[in-house]
Amino acid sequence: FSPKKCILIGGLSDGILPVPYTQLLEKVCQENCWSLVQPILSSSYTGFGHGSLERDCDELQELMRYLIDYRNGREFALVGHSTGC
C-alpha cells in the first residue's frame, strides 16, 4: 500500500465519484504513488442534515487512524468539493 493517501471529500448528498474529475484525480494519484480514498461519511448521500460537522470530523479522524494502522498511511492530502471543503 502507498503511504500517501489523497482523501476526496464530497459535498452535500455526495458519495462515491462526487465530481466529474474523480477518475482523472485517481489516475494522477496513481501516477504519483498516491492512493485515492473516497470515504462514505454518515452525512453522505441522504444523510446530510442529520449530523454535524463535529461528527464528520470525528469520522475523518477515524478513517485516518485506520489508514495509518492498517494501510501504511504516512502522508495525507484532503481534497474537498463544495461543502466538503
Side-chain angles (χ1 to χ4, degrees):
F1 297 107
S2 171
K4 300 175 183 179
K5 311 296 182 189
C6 177
I7 301 172
L8 178 57
I9 305 164
L12 292 178
S13 76
D14 286 336
I16 298 294
L17 303 171
V19 291
Y21 56 83
T22 302
Q23 291 175 319
L24 177 60
L25 179 60
E26 179 182 23
K27 181 179 182 235
V28 171
C29 283
Q30 287 180 351
E31 290 171 353
N32 292 281
C33 299
W34 283 74
S35 296
L36 181 63
V37 179
Q38 299 180 66
I40 300 296
L41 304 176
S42 296
S43 60
S44 298
Y45 296 113
T46 59
F48 72 90
H50 299 285
S52 66
L53 290 175
E54 183 177 354
R55 183 175 72 185
D56 287 351
C57 289
D58 289 344
E59 291 177 0
L60 288 169
Q61 185 176 19
E62 186 177 333
L63 169 64
M64 291 175 74
R65 273 194 228 113
Y66 173 84
L67 293 171
I68 291 168
D69 292 344
Y70 298 103
R71 293 292 184 256
N72 193 36
R74 298 292 174 260
E75 294 180 50
F76 296 90
L78 301 178
V79 178
H81 166 71
S82 186
T83 53
C85 292

